[in-house]
Amino acid sequence: MVGITKDDGALPSRGLGGASEKSGLLVVLGYIGAQTWLPIVGVVADMYRGGDLALSGLNPLLFSYLVVLGTTACAASFARWRDEWSRGVFGAFAGVLAAIAGAALLLVPERGASVAVAVLRVVSGALLGLGGGLLTMVWSERFGRLDAPARSRVSFLVVLAACLLAAFAQSIGIHWLLLAVVAVFSAVSSALFMVSASRGEAAAKTSSPVTHLQGAFVRIIASYGLFGLVFALMITQFLIARHGHALSWTWFLSLSGVVISLVVEVVAKALLKQGFSWLLLLRFAAIPILVAFYPFDAGSEFSLRFAMGASAVALWVYLSLVVGIAAEAAGQIRVPFAIVWGVALGALALGAALGSSLALMMESLDLQGHVSVTAIAAMVLAVIASDVVLTRGSLARAYKRAVTAAGGKEAESADGGTPFDERVAAVAEVYALTEREAEVLGILARGHGLGRVQEVLFIAEGTAITHRRHIYQKLDVHSKAELIYPIVSGFGDDGIDDD
């Protein structure tokens, strides 16, 4: 039976304020410790300063990192879908060991045959990708139980910290201090998770998702994969160009991208109010990409620097929005955030791996006009990914089709339009329920508990309880059975989670 599921003890959502501040800060610190890509930035910086920056030397490290990161994220998402997800302690422990080992290998002097050096970098990149993927996925469960405002704050703080750490890695290069920072941060991330798990805070069991959602996941994979491909082409084209010099304040532009995305988010929330959508802001992420290549000329020093600066802004604008987009997509198709985030991160990493491979091929063949080709391809793919592939309406329709294909009677789509939704709307109008109370009523009336209310509406447990209390008072009822009887009568009994 599809549509009515039961939440198994989902923990209350927590924010970053008051008594809940500790939980949000733990998630911030946990995600910061998962930034195992920092040594790659150090390698790029050293190669650039040494005048030997080329994809052929970088790709063994970069490609193995991206492939293993993407594979790990997808595997963790699949395990969560199959309900084989453990408390994550083993993943956190294995993640820190892999991250430390990968960082340590980069301290080995690169002597001997080039093949041996390439193998060493492949192993190092694979270990860093495994460590980063495991640490990211174990913390995604905790992140998924935060309410929407807390998620935004956590995302901003993590991206801001990542940007500053990237600037540090770029300035210091592959130095023992950088690798020590990666090792210590990953160890702190793992330790914090295991301590919280020992207290029962990290264990999570949420409702099983609806099956037959291939259409929705194809769109998510295509969107994130295309953007991964876009940014790989954007960044690697500067390595292909073989001329020009990066701006000394490139990472300041990256920081500007984070600030710009925050300002856009705040303004959008203030203007759109209830209509705010992360999926709508996805289209905004394409604008800096279009700007980056507008004056592009492979033979112009100014054009190259302009494009590289704008690309840095575009990359961090997107990274600032990417988690919110995944969270909204998860809400649209009623799937736990950890599942959607694993698929999205996997697609993003594997798309970037494909893009770096294509760039390497163009570099090795020394194709004429390859820089312009990558610029145009990045622009086109960015527009397709943001304006066509992933939208709120497409996900809502995919969810409806999934429920219908599975033989379910409900369709909790954003569009509404079913007799069930009409009955909920009629009750809400008669008893003067607010818009949010009507949304809570619709979820409760389908037999779900407060855990599902928190998951779908991204609100804290206390907020959900308050809405339920107000609904009971306005309808003058004292149990869920009394609440839903006028609505579900004639629609069958799919079971009630009476919390």
Side-chain angles (χ1 to χ4, degrees), residues 40-54 58 121 170 173 238-239 242-248 250 301 304-305 308:
I40 299 177
V41 177
V43 170
V44 172
D46 282 349
M47 293 176 69
Y48 182 83
R49 284 190 284 263
D52 59 349
L53 182 56
L58 177 63
R121 289 197 169 186
Q170 186 266 341
F238 303 111
L239 311 183
R242 296 184 182 281
H243 73 279
H245 300 281
L247 296 171
S248 59
T250 298
E301 178 76 10
L304 184 67
R305 290 195 175 194
M308 188 169 188

Side-chain angles (χ1 to χ4, degrees), residues 279-299:
L279 290 170
L280 181 62
L281 291 188
L282 173 61
R283 302 186 178 189
F284 165 75
I287 296 176
I289 299 176
L290 299 178
V291 172
F293 295 113
Y294 176 72
F296 197 87
D297 176 4

Side-chain angles (χ1 to χ4, degrees), residues 106-384:
L106 290 175
L107 286 175
V108 177
E110 295 183 351
R111 298 170 183 169
S114 58
V115 175
V117 172
V119 170
L120 184 68
R121 289 197 169 186
V122 167
V123 176
S124 177
L127 289 171
L128 290 171
L130 177 62
L134 288 174
L135 290 174
T136 297
M137 292 310 298
V138 297
W139 280 104
S140 66
E141 286 284 348
R142 294 287 298 276
F143 181 86
R145 296 197 301 279
L146 297 173
D147 57 27
R151 287 180 180 180
S152 295
R153 291 192 289 269
V154 167
S155 297
F156 172 73
L157 290 175
V158 171
V159 175
L160 179 62
C163 187
L164 296 176
L165 287 171
F168 169 71
Q170 186 266 341
S171 64
I172 198 173
I174 288 298
H175 188 274
W176 67 265
L177 181 58
L178 172 63
L179 301 178
V181 167
V182 172
V184 170
F185 278 21
S186 61
V188 170
S189 173
S190 177
L192 288 176
F193 185 86
M194 288 190 282
V195 169
S196 64
S198 67
R199 298 175 179 174
E201 297 176 12
K205 283 287 185 179
T206 53
S207 55
S208 300
V210 174
T211 56
H212 301 280
L213 282 170
Q214 293 90 337
F217 279 106
V218 166
R219 288 185 172 273
I220 293 171
I221 291 171
S223 178
Y224 280 82
L226 283 172
F227 264 104
L229 180 64
V230 163
F231 286 119
L233 291 174
M234 289 171 64
I235 294 173
T236 54
Q237 68 166 313
F238 303 111
L239 311 183
I240 298 171
R242 296 184 182 281
H243 73 279
H245 300 281
L247 296 171
S248 59
W249 35 279
T250 298
W251 287 107
F252 175 77
L253 294 174
S254 303
L255 184 62
S256 300
V258 179
V259 175
I260 289 171
S261 64
L262 176 66
V263 172
V264 171
E265 176 190 341
V266 171
V267 172
K269 286 182 176 179
L271 295 179
L272 300 177
K273 305 219 179 266
Q274 294 297 329
F276 171 76
S277 170
W278 286 100
L279 290 170
L280 181 62
L281 291 188
L282 173 61
R283 302 186 178 189
F284 165 75
I287 296 176
I289 299 176
L290 299 178
V291 172
F293 295 113
Y294 176 72
F296 197 87
D297 176 4
S300 167
E301 178 76 10
F302 165 78
S303 183
L304 184 67
R305 290 195 175 194
F306 181 90
M308 188 169 188
S311 295
V313 174
L315 173 61
W316 288 91
V317 163
Y318 180 70
L319 292 178
S320 300
L321 304 177
V322 67
V323 176
I325 295 167
E328 182 172 348
Q332 287 292 312
I333 60 177
R334 281 61 169 175
V335 170
F337 169 79
I339 294 178
V340 173
W341 179 237
V343 171
L345 179 60
L348 190 65
L350 294 175
L354 176 60
S356 65
S357 298
L358 292 176
L360 176 62
M361 181 184 68
M362 288 185 287
E363 179 189 58
S364 60
L365 295 177
D366 196 21
L367 299 177
Q368 295 297 319
H370 49 263
V371 176
S372 298
V373 170
T374 57
I376 296 172
M379 292 169 62
V380 172
L381 292 175
V383 173
I384 293 175

Side-chain angles (χ1 to χ4, degrees), residues 55 90 109-110 112 161 167 248 298 304 308 311 336 356 362 369 375 400 413 420 436 438 458 476 494 497:
L55 287 177
F90 174 77
E110 295 183 351
S248 59
L304 184 67
M308 188 169 188
S311 295
S356 65
M362 288 185 287
K400 260 186 180 178
S413 70
F420 190 96
R436 181 61 87 181
F458 304 128
D476 193 22
D494 286 318
D497 179 14

Side-chain angles (χ1 to χ4, degrees), residues 435-484:
E435 181 178 351
R436 181 61 87 181
E437 289 169 353
E439 293 174 337
V440 173
L441 174 63
I443 297 172
L444 295 177
R446 288 181 168 90
H448 296 301
L450 290 178
R452 185 64 160 175
V453 172
Q454 294 173 243
E455 183 180 321
V456 172
L457 301 181
F458 304 128
I459 59 177
E461 182 183 38
T463 305
I465 293 174
T466 300
H467 286 315
R468 184 181 63 177
R469 183 175 68 249
H470 291 165
I471 294 171
Y472 277 31
Q473 291 172 347
K474 291 181 179 181
L475 272 65
D476 193 22
V477 297
H478 303 88
S479 70
K480 183 178 287 187
E482 294 178 9
L483 174 70
I484 71 174

